[in-house]
Amino acid sequence: MDLELILMQLFSGLALGAILVMVALGLTIVFGMLGIVNFAHGALFMVGAYAGLWIAAQTGSFWWALLVAPIAIGVLGMLIERFLIRPLYGRTPDDPLLLTFGLGYVLVESVRITFGTDGIPFSAPEELQGVVDMGIGYFPVYRLFVMGVVAGVLVLLWLALEKTRYGLIIRAGARDPLIMRVLGVDVSRLWLLVFGLGVGLTALGGVLAAPMRSVSPEMGTLVLAEAFVVTVIGGMGSLLGAVVAGLLVGVVVSMTALFAPEMATIVMFALMAFILLVRPQGLFGRPGLGA
C-alpha cells in the first residue's frame, strides 16, 4: 500500500471530520451553555439537509440553500426553545431530554410524509464538482470546500465568543446565570439565541453533508450517534474538544475503512470507550462534566 493512498485517505478523514465538527459544535454549544442534551439534534441535521434541498430546487442555486437553510432552521430552533423547552427549565434534566427525543421522531415522520421515504440526490454546484491535483493524488473539490467552510465558521465562532461583548455575556451566563440576572442581563433571550445558534450550525452541517450522501429521513440517526461520540470524546461542553475530537474521529474512521473496512462503523465507539476509561471527562472536559 503506497504512501499516496494513505495520505489521500487521511484527507478524506479530515473532510468527514469537518462535518462531524460542525454537528458536534451545535450539540456542544447547547449542552455547555444550557445544560440540555438535545436528542432532536440528528433530526434537525436532517431537516437542514431537506431545507437546503428544497431551497436549491426553488431557486436553482446551491449558494442560496447554503445561506438560507441554516438561518431558517436556526429560527425553527429558537421557536423550539421558546415554546417547548423554556417551560421545562428548572425541572429535572430528564424532561427536556424526553421532549427532544419525542420531537426528533415528530420531525422525522413529518419529513417522511412530506418528501417520502426514498433518498434524494443533492448535487454539488458545477463549480465545486470534479477533482483537484494535490501533488499526492486527486481529491474532490467539494470536500476541500467543506473543509474550508468549516474552518471559516470556526474562526468566526471563536472571534464572536472571545472578542465581542455578546460572546463575553454568553460565556459568563453559561458559568453563572443567576449573577447575570442580577446584573440585568436577559438570560432568557441569551438562551434563545444560543439554542438557535446551535441548531443553525447543525443545519449548516446538514446542507454541507447533503451532496456527500443522499438526503433521506434516516440520515440524522447515525449523525446523532456520531455527534454524541465526538462530544463525549472531546468533553461535554468543550468547544475545543468538539473540534479536536471531530477531526480525530473522522481520521480514525477513514483510516480504519482503508485497512479494516469491516471495523469502520464500530471503531469510533471503541475509541470513545477507551477515552472514557483513561479520562472520564473527555479530552478537554472539566471534571464533573464528563460523561
Side-chain angles (χ1 to χ4, degrees), residues 81-262:
E81 192 279 340
R82 174 62 184 87
F83 295 105
L84 297 180
I85 294 178
R86 187 176 300 182
L88 303 181
Y89 290 154
R91 296 165 67 171
T92 66
D94 293 340
D95 289 347
L97 187 152
L98 291 172
L99 184 142
T100 56
F101 184 78
L103 177 63
Y105 276 100
V106 171
L107 292 174
V108 170
E109 291 303 320
S110 298
V111 167
R112 282 178 177 157
I113 293 170
T114 305
F115 294 96
T117 59
D118 295 334
I120 304 174
F122 188 173
S123 299
E126 185 176 348
E127 55 268 33
L128 295 179
Q129 294 180 6
V131 295
V132 60
D133 187 356
M134 301 185 62
I136 56 173
Y138 293 92
F139 196 72
V141 174
Y142 183 76
R143 297 197 177 198
L144 289 175
F145 168 75
V146 168
M147 294 165 65
V149 170
V150 172
V153 170
L154 290 176
V155 171
L156 291 175
L157 186 62
W158 180 82
L159 289 173
L161 291 177
E162 297 292 335
K163 302 297 183 180
T164 68
R165 176 176 175 270
Y166 290 105
L168 175 63
I169 293 174
I170 288 173
R171 288 184 286 118
R175 291 181 177 273
D176 197 334
L178 181 59
I179 292 296
M180 299 306 293
R181 286 193 178 94
V182 171
L183 294 175
V185 175
D186 188 347
V187 177
S188 297
R189 180 179 298 178
L190 185 65
W191 289 170
L192 181 74
L193 295 174
V194 168
F195 197 88
L197 174 63
V199 171
L201 289 173
T202 303
L204 176 59
V207 178
L208 289 172
M212 299 166 61
R213 7 178 142 182
S214 66
V215 180
S216 69
E218 289 75 29
M219 67 183 296
T221 304
L222 179 59
V223 166
L224 177 63
E226 292 171 339
F228 274 111
V229 167
V230 169
T231 303
V232 170
I233 291 175
M236 298 293 286
S238 170
L239 298 181
L240 176 60
V243 175
V244 173
L247 296 176
L248 175 63
V249 169
V251 169
V252 168
V253 170
S254 182
M255 298 306 292
T256 303
L258 179 62
F259 292 101
E262 67 280 1

